[in-house]
């Protein structure tokens, strides 16, 4: 059985209709602290939403291209986000279908994207390039009656020009928080940067969603961090912690998300529940 067959089986197994948002929701998944489950959350939430019958686009803005790996998308031989940001290529020319998913697509982070930060320094309105490209693409889809439900932008673990582009293009910021010491420090720095973006570039951007990752209910530290997050962000928190799980970590090595790699695993069940809650909130917004 190949990867594509396993994905189809996983989709059939988990597909439950999720509510459609009232408009396209654009999420930037960001945390300048590395190793918090940012890309893992981006791709698994995207896959879960797509399994729920929603049309989803993942934009991989991390030069490491880990989202492409998990989605089984080619980042070697085709144009990607470098061409969109630096060479003004239309976003539609870079988008690839994700195998096994009828309504999941990806705009890949090709290897050249690592040089985009330097290349963009001299550009006029360099912070808004992604916003302009994405707005044009969404308008084209709307015009042909093929509206996207979700756009999920995966950022590098830094607050450079790529992340600023993502924050300028978005209305919602999703922050994965690792259930370990110093976890809240990362979000405080992100909130500071977001405040500057709101004032200068995008007043609509806001932290709408916080996700607890790598949660181990057996440890006091994880529970203390979860309690802190609940206290500080009661409305933003998706109170379905993502457990620390081997299957979640293994899945990308098979070019899959955990949603298709092991649909019955605790990690897949948690991401499905989190995606369902995100969809519910979107339909009521």
């Amino acid at each position: 059985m190949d990867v594509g067959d396993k994905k189809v089986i996983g989709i059939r197994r988990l597909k439950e209709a999720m509510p459609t948002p009232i408009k396209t929701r654009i999420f930037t998944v960001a945390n300048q602290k590395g190793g918090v489950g940012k890309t893992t959350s981006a791709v698994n939430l995207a896959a879960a939403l797509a399994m729920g019958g929603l049309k989803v686009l993942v934009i991989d803005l991390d030069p490491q291209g880990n989202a492409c790996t998990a989605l089984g998308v080619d980042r070697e031989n085709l144009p990607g986000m470098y061409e969109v940001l630096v060479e003004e290529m239309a976003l539609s020319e870079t988008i690839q279908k994700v195998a096994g998913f009828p309504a999941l697509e990806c705009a890949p982070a090709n290897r050249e994207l690592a040089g985009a930060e330097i290349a963009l320094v001299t550009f006029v309105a360099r912070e808004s390039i992604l916003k302009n490209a994405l707005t044009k693409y969404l308008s084209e889809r709307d015009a042909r009656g093929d509206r996207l439900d979700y756009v999920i932008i995966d950022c590098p673990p830094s607050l450079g020009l790529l992340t600023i582009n993502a924050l300028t293009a978005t209305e919602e910021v999703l922050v994965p928080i690792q259930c370990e010491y110093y976890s809240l420090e990362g979000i405080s720095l992100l909130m500071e940067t977001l405040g500057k973006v709101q004032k200068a570039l995008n007043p609509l951007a806001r932290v709408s969603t916080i996700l607890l990752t790598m949660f181990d209910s057996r440890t006091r530290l994880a529970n203390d961090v979860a309690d802190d997050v609940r206290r500080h962000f009661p409305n933003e928190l998706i109170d379905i912690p993502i457990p620390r799980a081997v299957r979640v970590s293994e899945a990308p090595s098979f070019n899959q998300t955990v949603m298709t790699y092991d649909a019955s695993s605790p990690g897949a069940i948690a991401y499905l529940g989190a995606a369902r809650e995100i969809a519910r909130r979107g339909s009521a917004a």
Side-chain angles (χ1 to χ4, degrees):
M1 181 183 296
D2 63 22
V3 170
D5 290 336
K6 290 182 72 175
K7 287 183 175 180
V8 171
I9 290 171
I11 291 169
R12 286 173 180 165
R13 221 176 135 184
L14 280 182
K15 187 166 183 179
E16 300 177 32
M18 294 184 188
T20 302
I22 57 176
K23 64 176 183 177
T24 301
R25 298 179 73 188
I26 303 172
F27 277 93
T28 287
V29 183
N31 192 326
Q32 94 293 339
K33 188 176 183 298
V36 300
K38 177 182 57 62
T39 297
T40 299
S41 295
V43 297
N44 282 295
L45 288 172
L49 289 165
M51 288 177 174
L54 301 172
K55 297 177 182 179
V56 184
L57 169 65
V58 175
I59 297 178
D60 191 352
L61 271 194
D62 188 342
Q64 295 180 76
N66 291 334
C68 296
T69 299
L71 295 174
V73 168
D74 183 6
R75 63 184 299 248
E76 299 287 345
N77 306 307
L78 297 169
M81 290 309 299
Y82 178 87
E83 284 77 10
V84 173
L85 296 174
V86 178
E87 299 179 1
E88 300 183 354
M89 178 178 285
L91 185 59
S92 59
E93 295 183 42
T94 71
I95 291 174
Q96 301 179 40
K97 292 279 190 181
V98 177
F101 290 84
L104 179 59
E105 300 171 329
C106 178
N110 46 352
R111 297 195 181 279
E112 292 80 4
L113 188 60
E117 296 264 3
I118 296 173
L120 289 172
V121 168
T122 60
F123 282 39
V124 175
R126 56 187 176 268
E127 302 91 349
S128 301
I129 295 173
L130 176 60
K131 178 181 179 179
N132 295 336
L134 182 56
T135 298
K136 181 180 178 183
Y137 176 67
L138 294 177
S139 296
E140 291 170 351
R141 290 195 61 145
D142 288 347
R144 63 176 187 259
D146 186 28
R147 192 195 78 174
L148 274 172
D149 295 308
Y150 286 85
V151 177
I152 297 179
I153 307 171
D154 185 37
C155 296
S158 67
L159 296 176
L161 268 176
L162 292 176
T163 299
I164 296 300
N165 260 269
L167 293 175
T168 303
T170 198
E171 290 189 6
E172 301 187 59
V173 180
L174 187 153
V175 185
I177 295 181
Q178 185 179 6
C179 294
E180 292 189 359
Y181 197 53
Y182 293 139
S183 60
L184 293 179
E185 286 191 354
I187 194 171
S188 63
L189 182 55
L190 177 63
M191 295 291 279
E192 181 180 328
T193 300
L194 182 59
K196 295 176 181 177
V197 170
Q198 288 170 330
K199 289 180 181 179
L201 298 165
N202 180 13
L204 298 178
R206 62 187 175 88
V207 172
S208 68
T209 309
I210 292 177
L211 191 66
L212 297 172
T213 63
M214 305 181 192
F215 181 74
D216 186 345
S217 61
R218 299 169 299 178
T219 68
R220 178 176 177 178
L221 176 59
N223 285 285
D224 286 348
V225 169
D227 288 342
D228 281 346
V229 175
R230 289 188 190 100
R231 192 161 51 248
H232 286 90
F233 303 99
N235 298 320
E236 295 82 1
L237 177 64
I238 300 289
D239 207 354
I240 303 173
I242 308 301
R244 184 182 292 278
V246 173
R247 293 307 219 183
V248 173
S249 302
E250 284 179 349
S253 64
F254 293 89
N255 297 118
Q256 294 187 66
T257 65
V258 75
M259 305 306 301
T260 55
Y261 179 64
D262 189 349
S264 61
S265 67
I269 292 169
Y271 273 118
L272 182 65
R276 187 179 292 113
E277 176 61 16
I278 288 171
R280 185 195 67 78
R281 294 182 183 185
S283 67

